[in-house]
Amino acid sequence: MSAPTKIWSSKFAFLCAMVGASIGLGNLWRFSYVAGENGGGAFIIVYLLIILLLCVPLVMAELAMGRRGGKSPVLTMVRLCQEGGHSRFWRSIGWLSIMAPVCGLCFYAVVAGWSLDYVFLALRGAFINITPAVAVAQFDDLLASPQRLILWYTLFLAATVGVIGRGVNRGIEAVTTFMLPALFVMIIALVVYGHLQGAPARAWQFMFNPDFSSLTWNSLLMALGQALFSITVGTGALLTYGAYLAKDIALPGPTWIIACSDTLAAVLCGLAVFTIVFASGLDPAGGPGLMFVTLPVALGSMPAGHFFGVVFFVLVFFAAFTSSLVMLEPFVSYLEDKGYKRLTMSMLSGAVIWLVGLSAVFSFNLIEEFKPLSFIPLYQDKNMFHVLEFTVSNVMLPLTALLIALFAGWVIPARALRNEMGLSNDTAFRLWRLLTRYIAPVAVGCVLVFGLF
């Protein structure tokens, strides 16, 4: 295998980029809310077991595949298939790994743009002593304004394009090595603030009180889906960033750091948010309402809430931005590997994404009732935003993860992946092989099937 044309300057730079890619909007609200509604500590125990037994083996496999190929996901899969004489069918992993994140960025950047709007609202003191009714109206006003949505969506996407256009070292690495440490500093500051000014006892009980009677089959599926895609399995991130990783770095260590950092961030974010929310006696509702309605009300009534409101929405922006970088990088990396100039392809890709993403912007106002695929049962109630979100989250990502599990477990030679991973312990390797071959395909297949039906 030839050496990759792009490479991280250090292990720290790789970890910042990879952990930054995994910590996104879902970590800030969805993990802790889902945990609280599905058995608290019991759900978290299940989640941790899934991380240990399923996600860690798949992360190592996908990183190893990416580093062995040394190129963009498409050309990496071409190389791996040619090297082993495997069917061209498996090249679909590469194509899905660049198309899924690109399609995801079309709606993800729209939601991420909301955080920029709210940073400026927080700076202006718009949350001070705000009532729930005013907070709802404030959020509805944002969604009803195509002009405001387009402004923040455009700025967020332009910033993503600008960083990707500068390349791996001067762009992605430079930004993530600053943003990731800053992100954790802000999370810890919010946790400390919440414990001093909020209701830590209720937050801890909500998140960590084990109630195994609340666990259901659906709880298990939610834990599976949350774990897989929070750790970025099947998103193209691991194949892409793994290709830039030096050969002398064994993969078990970075894999554990990625998994532990992502889980720690999710738990800390939950403590930060719910200590504040419960202090105001508000309902810890999930979804965008928690971040953009409930939390402003809670912060607006607390001491120093103005300052920490700014901190929180800057945190939301940082988390969204580090994740957005890896959503565009696989596609631009592929075009660069084909001989095109990175900056030009970044701008061209960004322009196409921007145009497609306008349909997601207008789904909250001008074309809210337009349901283009209503003749398909799965899409009958979905406007353009929800069509994009459902297709990426429930079809493309789990399908990619399933194919990766099958390819790593059954197709590529075990010795090739073992050498690439640097997994020297025989027992550990046999366990990895068992989990990747048998457990992972069944688990990911369940996420795919039940996510559709």
Side-chain angles (χ1 to χ4, degrees):
M1 284 293 174
S2 60
T5 57
K6 303 175 283 288
I7 194 165
W8 302 111
S9 63
S10 66
K11 182 178 178 180
F12 176 74
F14 162 71
L15 289 172
C16 284
M18 200 63 254
V19 174
S22 64
I23 298 174
L25 295 177
N27 294 78
L28 298 182
W29 58 267
R30 190 177 187 275
F31 170 80
S32 46
Y33 172 72
V34 170
E37 293 297 299
N38 289 273
F43 178 90
I44 291 177
I45 290 171
V46 171
Y47 180 87
L48 292 175
L49 286 173
I50 290 169
I51 293 288
L52 174 66
L53 299 176
L54 180 62
C55 294
V56 166
L58 285 179
V59 168
M60 275 198 289
E62 198 171 344
L63 283 175
M65 288 164 57
R67 184 165 66 177
R68 190 167 183 85
K71 292 286 185 179
S72 64
V74 173
L75 297 186
T76 281
M77 291 310 303
V78 169
R79 283 189 169 192
L80 294 180
C81 289
Q82 289 177 342
E83 179 188 54
H86 310 308
S87 167
R88 293 171 64 92
F89 166 79
W90 298 107
R91 298 184 186 185
S92 60
I93 293 174
W95 287 108
L96 282 168
S97 294
I98 66 172
M99 294 312 300
V102 162
C103 293
L105 191 55
C106 292
F107 68 86
Y108 189 85
V110 175
V111 178
W114 301 349
S115 65
L116 286 172
D117 188 272
Y118 269 63
V119 168
F120 284 91
L121 286 175
L123 285 169
R124 294 192 344 240
F127 306 145
I128 297 175
N129 296 322
I130 191 175
T131 65
V134 173
V136 170
Q138 195 169 250
F139 187 51
D140 288 344
D141 286 344
L142 171 62
L143 297 187
S145 173
Q147 295 83 3
R148 283 171 67 187
L149 292 180
I150 290 174
L151 170 64
W152 301 118
Y153 164 59
T154 302
L155 289 175
F156 184 89
L157 193 54
T160 302
V161 167
V163 172
I164 294 300
R166 289 179 60 82
V168 174
N169 303 120
R170 295 189 303 125
I172 299 171
E173 186 175 304
V175 169
T176 54
T177 51
F178 161 72
M179 279 193 170
L180 186 73
L183 187 148
F184 270 97
V185 168
M186 286 186 285
I187 292 174
I188 292 170
L190 284 165
V191 170
V192 172
Y193 173 72
H195 278 67
L196 292 175
Q197 299 292 339
R202 290 192 62 192
W204 279 79
Q205 183 178 23
F206 181 74
M207 286 185 60
F208 301 114
N209 181 38
D211 181 8
F212 289 96
S213 65
S214 296
L215 287 177
T216 63
W217 174 244
N218 189 56
S219 301
L220 178 59
L221 288 173
M222 293 179 78
L224 273 169
Q226 177 74 22
L228 280 170
F229 305 125
S230 181
I231 304 296
T232 69
V233 173
T235 65
L238 297 162
L239 279 178
T240 304
Y241 283 1
Y244 310 152
L245 190 59
K247 292 286 187 179
D248 60 346
I249 297 177
L251 297 183
T255 299
W256 282 109
I257 292 173
I258 293 166
C260 292
S261 298
D262 180 78
T263 304
L264 177 63
V267 171
L268 289 176
C269 284
L271 288 174
V273 169
F274 290 121
T275 51
I276 295 169
V277 169
F278 282 124
S280 301
L282 297 170
D283 180 26
L290 179 61
M291 281 198 292
F292 297 102
V293 176
T294 306
L295 201 62
V297 173
L299 287 167
S301 63
M302 296 176 68
H306 176 217
F307 172 76
F308 282 98
V310 175
V311 171
F312 177 78
F313 285 107
V314 171
L315 166 65
V316 174
F317 167 68
F318 275 25
F321 192 69
T322 53
S323 295
S324 74
L325 296 177
V326 82
M327 300 174 84
L328 182 57
E329 174 62 17
F331 188 59
V332 172
S333 177
Y334 166 70
L335 295 173
E336 186 182 26
D337 287 345
K338 297 294 286 184
Y340 299 102
K341 291 184 178 180
R342 170 176 278 266
L343 180 58
T344 302
M345 291 301 100
S346 297
M347 295 172 66
L348 182 61
S349 302
V352 173
I353 291 169
W354 183 83
L355 287 171
V356 175
L358 287 179
S359 65
V361 169
F362 297 144
S363 293
F364 294 100
N365 36 74
L366 300 180
I367 58 171
E368 185 175 4
E369 298 303 320
F370 176 56
K371 299 176 174 60
L373 300 179
S374 58
F375 57 91
I376 301 174
L378 285 173
Y379 292 92
Q380 61 184 0
D381 296 323
K382 294 177 173 59
N383 60 25
M384 277 303 302
F385 179 92
H386 294 108
V387 165
L388 287 167
E389 191 274 335
F390 181 85
T391 302
V392 172
S393 303
N394 292 64
V395 181
M396 299 177 81
L397 292 183
L399 178 59
T400 310
L402 175 61
L403 292 176
I404 287 171
L406 292 172
F407 185 79
W410 293 94
V411 180
I412 193 169
R415 183 180 299 275
L417 279 187
R418 181 174 184 177
N419 292 339
E420 201 64 54
M421 288 187 294
L423 199 57
S424 57
N425 185 281
D426 290 338
T427 302
F429 178 73
R430 284 195 293 269
L431 179 60
W432 171 85
R433 189 73 166 165
L434 173 68
L435 294 172
T436 307
R437 277 196 142 191
Y438 300 103
I439 306 300
V442 172
V444 180
C446 287
V447 172
L448 175 61
V449 171
F450 287 96
L452 292 176
F453 304 103

